[in-house]
Amino acid sequence: MALDIDREGYERLTPSERTVIDYLSHHQDQVLDASISVLARETATSTSTVSRAIQKVGLGSIAELRVALRADRVRRSRESQGHQSGEGHMSDAIQKLSLISSQTLDDFNLPDILRAANAIKAARRVLMFARGETIYIAQEFMVYLQYLGYNVALVTDHNWMLKVGSMAREGDLVIILSVQCRDRTLPKVARLAHDAGIPVIGCCCRRGSDLEKYASVMLFGHTEEIISYLGDVNYSRLPLMMITQTIISYLGS
């Protein structure tokens, strides 16, 4: 991948930043699996220097760099195989799955996931809320928690959701699962629970939703479009599954 920097821009870099860019350009396979601290060690620079160099080629973070490298690998693979190749299209699908997984893992905030898991352990009862296709993720999460002996109820009906203030009791915990949280009901649930003194854990793949205003813990997954049909865009629910299964694995260990 040719990093997005011209000769003039390259000349404006500090010697240490040039070292980083040269390494990134010539060791792309190693960069795909390397942390920012490893890159700093390999280039004999600091993590802040690596971060600055990445930003100066138009990428916000090492995670974005990995995504760009993988996308470039897919593009080159498709060019060599031909765009009409069925194997090429399947390779694209698998590559997208890899991108979603790796980006979600990169975005994991382990302290927050641990806080969420410990809140579940301490709760008298867990009230889980989900809408649309995300209900299937919530159902699986609920079943696994029940297998582990936790008292869990899943609420999917709009009218029942808005009764959370009278439904919840001291010691309960509210968990809200949503891919984009564009459903107006779920933020209302969070507000009602918050106003009733019930802690809320939000799990979402979009930042900046109203859910964040009322959640005591927010768990974020990567946002990736999977398919668009008649103007309706569908996003991957894999990040939500990865987050919930991480919590289950921790609680079951």
Side-chain angles (χ1 to χ4, degrees):
M1 181 186 77
L3 295 176
D4 187 19
I5 187 168
D6 56 21
R7 172 55 59 181
E8 184 178 347
Y10 182 83
E11 294 296 334
R12 286 199 295 267
L13 298 176
T14 66
S16 295
E17 290 168 347
R18 291 177 196 168
T19 299
V20 172
I21 296 303
D22 291 342
Y23 182 87
L24 298 179
S25 297
H26 295 97
H27 298 84
Q28 294 181 24
D29 289 341
Q30 294 91 322
V31 172
L32 283 172
D33 298 315
S35 66
I36 195 167
S37 58
V38 168
L39 294 178
R41 184 177 68 245
E42 292 296 322
T43 57
T45 61
S46 65
T47 55
S48 59
T49 298
V50 174
S51 180
R52 282 199 308 273
I54 291 173
Q55 290 173 1
K56 287 186 178 180
V57 296
L59 298 167
S61 66
I62 187 172
E64 288 189 23
L65 173 64
R66 293 195 192 105
V67 170
L69 288 173
R70 290 189 176 98
D72 187 69
R73 176 180 288 182
V74 170
R75 179 187 58 78
R76 286 186 281 107
S77 174
R78 291 185 66 186
E79 288 176 351
S80 64
Q81 295 179 15
H83 288 279
Q84 300 305 316
S85 167
E87 291 184 0
H89 290 307
M90 180 58 71
S91 176
D92 287 353
I94 294 173
Q95 189 65 34
K96 177 172 283 191
L97 180 65
S98 175
L99 291 176
I100 294 170
S101 301
S102 62
Q103 185 70 55
T104 296
L105 290 173
D106 285 339
D107 290 344
F108 263 18
N109 186 313
L110 292 183
D112 283 343
I113 294 177
L114 184 61
R115 286 174 60 198
N118 287 334
I120 293 172
K121 291 171 68 174
R124 180 186 71 91
R125 179 180 58 167
V126 175
L127 297 175
M128 199 176 302
F129 297 82
R131 299 276 284 172
E133 289 84 356
T134 306
I135 291 173
Y136 299 116
I137 304 297
Q139 285 175 332
E140 182 185 59
F141 192 24
M142 176 185 68
V143 169
Y144 282 132
L145 287 174
Q146 289 173 340
Y147 283 163
L148 294 174
Y150 292 96
N151 182 8
V152 186
L154 173 59
V155 183
T156 61
D157 179 79
H158 168 82
N159 293 324
W160 277 104
M161 284 185 172
L162 298 182
K163 296 179 181 179
V164 62
S166 57
M167 186 190 312
R169 297 288 183 270
E170 183 178 354
D172 286 350
L173 173 69
V174 165
I175 298 179
I176 297 175
L177 300 174
S178 179
V179 175
Q180 293 290 295
C181 202
R182 300 189 188 278
D183 186 295
R184 296 181 180 181
T185 303
L186 295 176
K188 289 181 181 178
V189 170
R191 176 176 58 81
L192 291 170
H194 177 271
D195 292 347
I198 307 300
V200 176
I201 294 174
C203 188
C204 184
C205 296
R206 181 175 70 91
R207 296 178 184 269
S209 71
D210 287 343
L211 179 58
E212 296 176 41
K213 298 177 182 178
Y214 308 106
S216 52
V217 179
M218 280 297 304
L219 306 178
F220 291 104
H222 175 61
T223 296
E224 187 74 32
E225 179 181 335
I226 291 296
I227 191 170
S228 178
Y229 180 69
L230 296 179
D232 185 19
V233 178
N234 289 273
Y235 296 89
S236 173
R237 286 164 177 78
L238 177 60
L240 296 185
M241 183 179 292
M242 292 176 65
I243 292 170
T244 56
Q245 290 194 358
T246 299
I247 293 173
I248 291 297
S249 296
Y250 169 77
L251 293 176
S253 62

